[in-house]
Amino acid sequence: MASKLMKSNILRSLPARRFAAQAATKSSDYGVLPREPLKTTTLPNGVVVASIENQSPLSRVAIAVRGGSRYETPDNRGATHLLRIVAGLTNAENTAFGLTRELQQLGASLACSADREVLIYSADATRNHMDVVMELLANAATRQVFKPWEITDIKPHLKLDVETTPAEVSLIEDLHLAAFRQSDLGNSVVAPHHLIGQLGPDQLASHLSRTLLAGRTAVCGTGIDHETLVEYAQGLQLPQGEGPAPAARYGGGELRTEIGGGVALVAVAAEGAGRSSATAAQQAVLQAVLGAGAVVKYGAGRGVLGAAAAQAGGAAAALNAVYSDTGLVGYTVAAEADKAGQVIEAVNKAFKTTSLTAEDVNRGKALAKAAVLRADDNSGSCVETMGVQGASLGKVSAVSDALAAIDAVKLSDVQTLHKRLVGGKLSMAARGNLRTVPYLDQL
Amino acid sequence: MVGEGNSGLLSGGAMQWLRRWAYNASGFNKLGLWHDDCLYEDDEVKEAVRRLPERLQDDRTFRITRAMQLSLSHQILPREQWTTFDEDIRYLKPYLEEVRKENREKAEWSKK
């Protein structure tokens, strides 16, 4: 009898019930949030609005504009770099001081990032403060005024940024310049050193007036419901217009920068397909097969190229830079100066002559899908991806579409793509101690 | 203090006459100076002058230097070169107001 009593639910559940009741009094401030998958709307003025309600306690909103460095003119080269740096200075509604203190008070953050195609202003905050923060974001992005004295005061930051550009970044910039020459994609995201002096309010204003237009803007968010975001986007004051069109011309060539040191960094690439092309997914799979970095810290690079490089005593990874109309597919190599020649030979041989098997392609597909899902899992990179797609293509596709596209890739597709790439005209950039690094025509 | 017009006791026309008379009686126009050149340079005025476009700063520097030279040689400009009431523009006013607004904002925030 006693044992039966011990097993009785009532006796055991009483203390448990008390603790549960204690915890239950502190319920969520928001009730139960509905979960929304990716929803997109295109407003009549051309702004693309995309949102995912992922029940996150943090909301993130970004205003992405198709106004990256490729749309700079020869007169305002370096404007996007300076725009990144002056984001958050005095605008039409807030002073720099006021904006900073307001954001700090709310525990929010505001950031600006840019690449060749897209300029993104993003802000995040807890949900209860998000409406104020979105207001501040709109001011910072769309109502910028450039006070000459503030620009002058912040120029040393620009100079520091340019002079401390890491070698790997410079390498990729050189590769784009070699590949696309002086046409739009050859414009670097880093301001040219000799043009820092002439960058000022006029250059920034001219860049924004050409590119900050309704038809080139996307407003994206996570942790926010779609109606709120649409209403917000409708309230943004953006002028109408077409703006500059992409005009990349792939030329091919090489750029060598001898700066000595113990290491040689080399990048080689061929022209690839654009973001909306049918072969974009195949390129992603090819990149994963060839090897895109290590999964294990300090591990040797994986994939075909990584293995070839590790055997020769260096490191290599596949490169896949995708833009709306074109791209670059190839590899980057890092090696000690003495061994660089052998490593590049080995990697190049692997790049050109590797025969891909079904197992390789399956591995590539799994890796590519994991990369897509990983980016989607992180709300910061998720918003960035939506912004880049919305601003550069005018539409945002769901992760499931990307996964389906990767699943549909066949071995023959990847083999055809690979053959076409290695047969095309290559571009090369090299930086560091280049005494053993071969020239492009010697590869 | 030749300030902006709040009519107060006098009508518009009379107020203008009084302002002109006070301006000419002040005498700084005889040294070729403008009203904003004569402001005492406290921190706010210094910051506002720093923000002036280069051309306005150079003009201000020139006028002040010329006035100092005249002062030390106990001279004034010939009558044709005196600054007139109408050409005296309050060039520093917008910059000074912005500086003062910013300082007020900082004071507000530091109270919190």
Side-chain angles (χ1 to χ4, degrees):
Chain A
M1 276 259 282
S3 57
K4 266 216 203 127
L5 210 58
M6 285 332 264
K7 282 188 217 159
S8 137
N9 279 341
I10 301 170
L11 271 185
R12 225 181 305 138
S13 71
L14 269 178
R17 265 253 217 91
R18 269 206 295 276
F19 295 143
Q22 199 83 333
T25 48
K26 193 107 171 61
S27 64
S28 149
D29 293 333
Y30 312 106
V32 177
L33 289 166
R35 198 176 191 106
E36 283 178 3
L38 173 71
K39 282 193 182 169
T40 55
T41 311
T42 307
L43 299 181
N45 64 356
V47 176
V48 175
V49 185
S51 72
I52 299 178
E53 175 55 275
N54 56 2
Q55 298 177 318
S56 161
L58 209 65
S59 288
R60 276 182 202 270
V61 172
I63 298 178
V65 181
R66 186 154 43 106
S69 65
R70 74 185 293 186
Y71 300 108
E72 288 171 0
T73 64
D75 294 323
N76 60 21
R77 288 291 315 283
T80 38
H81 192 177
L82 190 55
L83 277 171
R84 285 204 298 279
I85 291 178
V86 305
L89 290 185
T90 300
N91 57 52
E93 303 288 332
N94 315 96
T95 58
F97 173 82
L99 179 64
T100 314
R101 291 297 284 262
E102 193 79 39
L103 288 171
Q104 287 176 342
Q105 194 71 18
L106 301 172
S109 82
L110 175 72
C112 175
S113 67
D115 70 356
R116 288 186 159 72
E117 285 217 278
V118 182
L119 180 65
I120 303 181
Y121 292 90
S122 60
D124 62 38
T126 48
R127 278 175 191 265
N128 50 347
H129 296 309
M130 200 56 195
D131 48 350
V132 179
V133 174
M134 279 159 71
E135 193 63 43
L136 297 172
L137 173 67
N139 296 339
T142 61
R143 308 208 55 212
Q144 302 193 55
V145 302
F146 301 107
K147 301 283 184 189
W149 55 90
E150 285 189 343
I151 306 280
T152 316
D153 289 346
I154 212 168
K155 273 286 181 71
H157 277 246
L158 178 64
K159 229 170 160 252
L160 180 69
D161 235 15
V162 170
E163 285 172 16
T164 57
T165 307
E168 307 83 57
V169 172
S170 297
L171 178 75
I172 301 299
E173 300 308 300
D174 287 348
L175 179 68
H176 281 81
L177 187 58
F180 296 104
R181 303 188 180 162
Q182 301 230 297
S183 74
D184 63 11
L185 277 175
N187 290 348
S188 169
V189 291
V190 178
H193 192 271
H194 63 282
L195 291 174
I196 293 177
Q198 74 178 43
L199 279 174
D202 296 329
Q203 284 72 29
L204 300 180
S206 91
H207 185 76
L208 278 187
S209 68
R210 283 179 86 229
T211 57
L212 184 60
L213 305 167
R216 300 167 73 96
T217 306
V219 179
C220 313
T222 58
I224 191 165
D225 65 289
H226 199 64
E227 274 105 65
T228 314
L229 201 59
V230 167
E231 213 182 297
Y232 171 69
Q234 281 165 341
L236 293 177
Q237 299 150 359
L238 293 166
Q240 288 290 113
E242 268 293 313
R249 287 183 333 267
Y250 182 85
E254 64 183 309
L255 204 69
R256 292 168 73 99
T257 315
E258 173 71 55
I259 52 174
V263 172
L265 300 173
V266 177
V268 174
E271 188 181 15
R275 188 169 286 125
S276 50
S277 135
T279 53
Q282 297 157 17
Q283 259 176 219
V285 172
L286 180 63
Q287 182 196 16
V289 170
L290 291 175
V295 268
V296 175
K297 198 174 175 182
Y298 300 126
R302 58 171 181 208
V304 173
L305 299 180
Q311 255 194 332
L319 168 79
N320 180 18
V322 185
Y323 303 105
S324 55
D325 54 339
T326 180
L328 287 177
V329 182
Y331 59 84
T332 55
V333 170
E336 282 173 37
D338 295 328
K339 299 199 193 123
Q342 308 163 275
V343 175
I344 294 168
E345 296 291 347
V347 172
N348 193 47
K349 186 149 167 282
F351 179 64
K352 290 201 162 154
T353 61
T354 188
S355 58
L356 302 160
T357 63
E359 197 194 309
D360 282 334
V361 169
N362 285 337
R363 189 183 73 231
K365 280 160 80 163
L367 289 169
K369 284 198 284 191
V372 168
L373 287 167
R374 206 171 288 129
D376 184 58
D377 194 38
N378 174 335
S379 61
S381 61
C382 175
V383 169
E384 193 179 300
T385 314
M386 287 199 284
V388 168
Q389 284 182 33
S392 64
L393 295 176
K395 60 178 174 65
V396 181
S397 28
V399 167
S400 49
D401 293 341
L403 296 177
I406 294 174
D407 265 329
V409 169
K410 298 193 289 287
L411 172 62
S412 52
D413 296 331
V414 182
Q415 283 172 331
T416 324
L417 174 68
H418 180 229
K419 227 183 295 281
R420 192 167 55 77
L421 282 174
V422 302
K425 190 158 184 221
L426 295 178
S427 316
M428 177 167 159
R431 202 171 180 90
N433 191 331
L434 306 181
R435 63 182 129 101
T436 58
V437 172
Y439 281 78
L440 186 57
D441 53 6
Q442 292 169 330
L443 283 179
Chain B
M1 291 227 283
V2 192
E4 300 79 56
N6 320 322
S7 313
L9 297 153
L10 304 167
S11 68
M15 196 66 196
Q16 272 296 89
W17 178 86
L18 190 61
R19 292 176 65 199
R20 278 177 183 279
W21 178 85
Y23 183 85
N24 289 313
S26 312
F28 59 78
N29 63 335
K30 297 181 181 134
L31 293 174
L33 288 169
W34 293 13
H35 174 270
D36 284 347
D37 300 337
C38 304
L39 292 172
Y40 177 69
E41 276 197 21
D42 62 6
D43 291 332
E44 287 180 338
V45 172
K46 280 198 185 122
E47 175 62 25
V49 170
R50 190 184 78 93
R51 295 181 180 191
L52 280 175
E54 205 177 326
R55 182 62 208 262
L56 289 178
Q57 269 189 17
D58 290 345
D59 289 346
R60 172 193 166 93
T61 310
F62 168 75
R63 286 191 299 268
I64 291 175
T65 314
R66 181 178 59 181
M68 280 164 58
Q69 179 60 35
L70 288 166
S71 168
L72 75 84
S73 54
H74 303 285
Q75 292 173 2
I76 55 173
L77 288 174
R79 202 178 178 107
E80 332 57 273
Q81 291 182 28
W82 292 3
T83 317
T84 64
F85 182 76
D86 300 306
E87 80 180 359
D88 187 334
I89 300 170
R90 304 295 166 84
Y91 59 87
L92 200 62
K93 189 163 145 197
Y95 298 93
L96 193 53
E97 286 193 349
E98 196 169 353
V99 172
R100 288 192 176 138
K101 192 167 84 118
E102 287 178 16
N103 285 343
R104 273 197 300 273
E105 188 185 24
K106 287 186 183 152
E108 276 298 315
W109 271 98
S110 65
K111 275 189 216 163
K112 290 188 191 178

